[in-house]
Amino acid sequence: MALPLDLESLTEAFSGNLGMGVDENALISTLGKSHKDHRKLFRKASKGFFVEDEERAFEKCHDHFVRHLKLEFSRFNNAVVMWAMHPWERDARLVKKALKKGEEAYNLIVEVACTRSSEDLLGARKAYHSLFDQSMEEDIASHVHGPNRKLLVGLVSAYRYEGNKVKEDSAKSEAKTLAEAVASPGEEVVEKDEVVRILTTRSKPHLQHVYKHFNDIKGSDLVRGVSHSSLLNEALLCLLKPAVYFSKILDASLNKEADKTTKKWLTRVLVTRADHSDEMKEIKEEYNKLYGVTLAQIIQDKIKGNYRDFLITLLSKSD
């Protein structure tokens, strides 16, 4: 008969209550080679995974355990599928998913619109046509209501200049415009046409100069939040400090208290940024600066199996 199962190791291989992914190799070497009597002992000992049906004399899976396993086994598969996709299709599908989920997911539209190059954002709009037989702009306009509609449509419609030339006088003038918009009572900042125009049309180097002048004028940091609109604040962070934005997203996804949706952010960020070595290097440096640990180390500690190995491989592309 095979040796008794190491129940603690087997439970850990299933992720238990910590981390993400499953340790496929451990499951093969322990569960796969186990005797049926030992698996029965595992079921009886694993009260969090199984419940005894005393009347019918067998141990049945908790529904939450079945859902947990399906989710954890799928993380690696989902990451590979996303990685295999053309980046334009991937971003188009992310935007569509955000619209289906509703207002709580609209920050994903901001992320795509504000952290991609002009060509990649245009490509995502082309892919949207191909996949969904309508434009990204019209779909957003038909789903989003209220003051955020104008901002989101403007952001995804942008084709920003990507050169380094900046008109300093314009940057100073627009910083003053933003400062006045923040200070004036009444209409929300996100509803003001000039604010939306500046954020949706100006180049990122230009916005960096606007940011500097705004901080000089106001004596406060523009990216710390100037609006009741979380989407406007997210747009500012994505446009001005993308490495900080992605580091915060990653940290939230790796928190042991993160919900199912938040945990998925880890795959999204690493898959979409891995091919952009310079950006990924900045994200890793910023993460280390903010949280005092390397991104590779925390993934090694908290993620298991093929999913962990795949994420580490993506990270290493920017070494």
Side-chain angles (χ1 to χ4, degrees):
M1 183 181 289
L3 292 173
L5 289 174
D6 181 342
L7 298 181
E8 184 177 346
S9 296
L10 188 54
T11 300
E12 181 67 15
F14 280 127
S15 286
N17 295 319
L18 299 173
M20 289 182 275
V22 292
D23 189 340
E24 292 88 352
N25 289 334
L27 293 176
I28 291 169
S29 64
T30 55
L31 196 62
K33 297 178 180 179
S34 65
H35 187 274
K36 65 178 182 180
D37 290 339
H38 294 152
R39 292 196 299 279
K40 182 174 183 177
L41 289 175
F42 167 66
R43 291 193 297 271
K44 284 184 174 295
S46 303
K47 302 299 185 183
F49 295 163
F50 300 92
V51 61
E52 184 87 25
D53 186 327
E54 295 180 356
E55 179 183 350
R56 298 170 182 84
F58 82 108
E59 311 82 25
K60 61 183 179 181
C61 281
H62 278 300
D63 288 343
H64 73 80
F65 179 53
V66 175
R67 291 193 296 270
H68 167 78
L69 286 185
K70 286 181 178 179
L71 174 61
E72 296 307 329
F73 274 109
S74 72
R75 292 192 193 281
F76 170 65
N77 297 340
N78 292 340
V80 171
V81 170
M82 283 186 72
W83 180 247
M85 280 185 189
H86 193 292
W88 296 356
E89 177 180 358
R90 190 166 58 215
D91 282 344
R93 290 188 182 278
L94 287 173
V95 170
K96 187 66 171 180
K97 183 181 291 186
L99 287 174
K100 287 181 177 180
K101 286 188 174 181
E103 189 172 355
E104 73 277 4
Y106 289 167
N107 63 305
L108 180 50
I109 302 173
V110 171
E111 180 183 309
V112 170
C114 296
T115 65
R116 302 328 189 227
S117 69
S118 295
E119 280 298 320
D120 282 343
L121 181 55
L122 177 61
R125 298 209 305 268
K126 290 179 179 179
Y128 210 93
H129 290 187
S130 175
L131 292 166
F132 308 118
D133 295 319
Q134 61 184 146
S135 75
M136 187 183 292
E137 299 91 325
E138 68 176 307
D139 207 10
I140 290 172
S142 65
H143 280 83
V144 180
H145 304 286
N148 287 319
R149 175 194 284 171
K150 188 189 301 182
L151 175 67
L152 290 177
V153 171
L155 289 173
V156 301
S157 303
Y159 189 85
R160 299 177 193 273
Y161 166 66
E162 293 191 332
N164 293 319
K165 291 185 177 180
V166 174
K167 295 180 179 178
E168 204 63 40
D169 289 345
S170 295
K172 288 180 180 179
S173 175
E174 290 175 349
K176 184 178 179 182
T177 298
L178 289 180
E180 291 172 350
V182 170
S184 62
E187 191 179 29
E188 236 297 305
V189 178
V190 72
E191 298 182 71
K192 298 181 178 180
D193 289 341
E194 278 298 280
V195 173
V196 173
R197 177 190 66 78
I198 293 166
L199 296 184
T200 60
T201 64
R202 288 303 196 182
S203 73
K204 292 175 184 178
H206 180 93
L207 290 173
Q208 290 291 345
H209 284 248
V210 172
Y211 171 55
K212 175 183 177 297
H213 292 306
F214 176 94
N215 292 349
D216 290 342
I217 294 169
K218 292 289 291 181
S220 60
D221 195 331
L222 179 61
V223 299
R224 291 189 183 279
V226 296
S227 170
H228 294 302
S229 167
S230 62
L231 291 184
L232 179 60
N233 295 331
E234 295 248 349
L236 288 167
L237 191 58
C238 285
L239 288 166
L240 297 168
K241 294 187 175 182
V244 173
Y245 168 81
F246 283 121
S247 294
K248 289 184 175 182
I249 289 290
L250 289 168
D251 182 62
S253 72
L254 289 161
N255 190 308
K256 67 179 182 180
E257 303 298 332
D259 60 26
K260 181 173 67 173
T261 298
T262 304
K263 286 182 177 180
K264 292 179 180 179
W265 297 352
L266 176 63
T267 298
R268 183 184 85 227
V269 174
L270 293 191
V271 167
T272 62
R273 298 299 88 207
D275 269 333
H276 303 271
S277 296
D278 290 343
E279 290 182 34
M280 198 67 238
K281 283 179 182 176
E282 290 180 7
I283 292 168
K284 290 192 291 188
E285 289 170 2
E286 189 64 37
Y287 189 92
N288 194 4
K289 176 183 172 183
L290 288 174
Y291 304 110
V293 62
T294 67
L295 189 53
Q297 186 59 57
I298 198 166
I299 288 174
Q300 190 70 41
D301 292 344
K302 292 194 173 186
I303 313 299
K304 301 182 188 306
N306 292 336
Y307 181 50
R308 175 197 60 207
D309 295 344
F310 188 66
L311 295 183
I312 292 294
T313 299
L314 294 183
L315 267 184
S316 68
K317 288 170 65 65
S318 57
D319 289 343

